[in-house]
């Protein structure tokens, strides 16, 4: 069992993105998050999946959280004489092997997520392809805010949203809660599993943009993948890295969407580009 905790916060942090990410994780709400961040440590997640907890840790650290992972089983083994040999073997694991295992695990999960969402697991039809030319965006991206919050929508409205965008993690979460309140445990469990897959997909997408630094935010809508980054690039460097990210996403992301990147440099210059996947 692995337990992920937030033990503190960096001086430079993105609290809005950090809190929004934490709210989407099972078992956390506004009161728990607020208290845990003010008086750490905050227990974020406990799971048997080491790759999953490491992926979530990487995302939280990008937003300024100081995290640690507690290996409960390893701690227990240290307190047992019979487990001495096993603990010793665990410590001798090669770092490079762990690194590549994590990378392959992330890529494997992303591929599995892509296959899952391209199938009809929850009566969600595939989104029609979107055609767009490769052009630079000269205006602030807008139109992403919804008139109603997901909490205010009915189950039918949430399902309609999910037909358009199966990666809408918050819609899956709210739908799961509404179904659970009605006592429809089977449907609620399916919606919760889809919520977790959508969150993990966002995390994997974020990990693919490592060239843009640690402060990477990603949002998946019905017709685009939005990245908001903060890295000092020349114009040529920015478009080169944007093209590389587009190539990576095109090879693994199901369906055609636009890739939109906003990069904010330390000189208060905003670089924007829209590319077709």
């Amino acid at each position: 069992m692995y337990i992920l905790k937030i033990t503190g916060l960096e001086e430079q942090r993105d609290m809005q993105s950090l809190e929004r990410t934490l709210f989407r994780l099972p078992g956390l709400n506004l009161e728990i998050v607020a208290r845990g961040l003010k008086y750490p440590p905050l227990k974020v997640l406990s799971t048997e999946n080491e790759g999953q907890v490491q992926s979530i840790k990487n995302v939280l650290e990008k937003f300024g959280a100081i995290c640690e992972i507690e290996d409960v089983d390893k701690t227990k083994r240290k307190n047992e004489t019979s487990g001495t040999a096993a603990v010793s073997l665990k410590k001798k694991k090669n770092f490079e092997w762990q690194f590549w295992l994590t990378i392959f695990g992330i890529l494997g999960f992303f591929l599995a997520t892509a296959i899952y969402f391209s199938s009809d697991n929850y009566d969600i039809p595939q989104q029609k392809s979107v055609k767009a030319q490769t052009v630079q965006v000269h205006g602030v991206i807008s139109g992403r805010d919804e008139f109603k919050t997901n909490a205010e929508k009915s189950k039918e409205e949430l399902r309609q949203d999910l037909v358009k965008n199966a990666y809408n993690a918050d819609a899956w979460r709210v739908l799961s809660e509404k179904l659970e309140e009605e006592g429809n445990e089977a449907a609620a469990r399916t919606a919760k599993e889809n919520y977790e897959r959508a969150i993990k997909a966002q995390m994997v997408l974020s990990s693919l943009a490592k060239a843009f630094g640690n402060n990477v935010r990603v949002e998946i809508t019905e017709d685009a993948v939005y990245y908001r980054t903060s890295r000092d690039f020349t114009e040529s460097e920015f478009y080169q890295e944007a093209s590389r990210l587009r190539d990576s996403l095109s090879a693994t992301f199901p369906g055609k969407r636009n890739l939109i990147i906003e990069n904010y440099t330390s000189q208060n210059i905003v670089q924007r580009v829209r590319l077709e996947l």
Side-chain angles (χ1 to χ4, degrees), residues 81-221:
T81 304
S82 60
T84 302
V87 173
S88 177
L89 180 60
K90 182 76 174 181
K91 289 183 178 180
K92 291 180 180 179
K93 282 189 175 181
N94 185 277
F95 174 80
E96 184 177 357
W97 168 249
Q98 290 182 330
F99 173 79
W100 285 111
L101 185 62
T102 301
I103 292 298
F104 288 131
I106 290 174
L107 292 177
F109 165 77
F110 184 78
L111 199 55
T113 301
I115 294 172
Y116 183 92
F117 279 122
S118 64
S119 64
D120 192 16
N121 283 280
Y122 199 81
D123 295 329
I124 301 297
Q126 294 184 7
Q127 178 69 18
K128 294 181 180 179
S129 61
V130 178
K131 294 183 179 180
Q133 296 180 345
T134 301
V135 297
Q136 184 173 0
V137 178
H138 295 285
V140 177
I141 298 172
S142 61
R144 278 181 274 170
D145 294 331
E146 299 175 347
F147 180 74
K148 285 184 179 181
T149 65
N150 285 322
E152 296 171 329
K153 293 181 180 180
S154 66
K155 297 193 305 296
E156 290 70 24
E157 289 174 317
L158 291 170
R159 289 190 176 106
Q160 289 174 7
D161 289 345
L162 291 167
V163 168
K164 298 176 183 178
N165 179 21
Y167 293 90
N168 190 334
D170 191 58
W172 280 121
R173 180 186 61 79
V174 175
L175 178 60
S176 172
E177 292 172 353
K178 289 180 180 292
L179 291 168
E180 204 168 59
E181 289 174 359
E182 293 180 351
N184 193 341
E185 296 295 336
R189 183 167 54 252
T190 300
K192 186 175 182 180
E193 290 172 354
N194 285 329
Y195 158 75
E196 293 172 351
R197 288 187 176 95
I199 288 293
K200 292 174 185 176
Q202 292 176 359
M203 294 177 178
V204 174
L205 286 173
S206 179
S207 71
L208 293 177
K210 289 183 177 179
F212 287 91
N214 294 326
N215 188 17
V216 177
R217 296 167 58 186
V218 61
E219 177 184 355
I220 309 171
T221 68

Side-chain angles (χ1 to χ4, degrees), residues 6-65:
I6 294 179
T7 58
L9 298 172
E10 300 282 357
E11 290 186 7
Q12 294 184 344
R13 54 186 180 264
D14 184 346
M15 288 298 295
Q16 182 178 3
S17 298
L18 177 60
E19 291 174 348
R20 184 168 57 186
T21 301
L22 290 171
F23 292 156
R24 291 175 175 174
L25 294 175
L28 297 181
N29 56 37
L30 179 61
E31 181 181 354
I32 294 174
V33 170
R35 184 174 63 250
L37 293 179
K38 187 174 182 180
Y39 305 106
L42 168 63
K43 181 179 177 181
V44 176
L45 180 73
S46 61
T47 177
E48 298 286 349
N49 190 325
E50 183 178 7
Q52 177 185 354
V53 76
Q54 184 63 53
S55 297
I56 297 175
K57 176 177 179 289
N58 292 341
V59 172
L60 296 178
E61 287 179 340
K62 289 180 180 180
F63 298 140

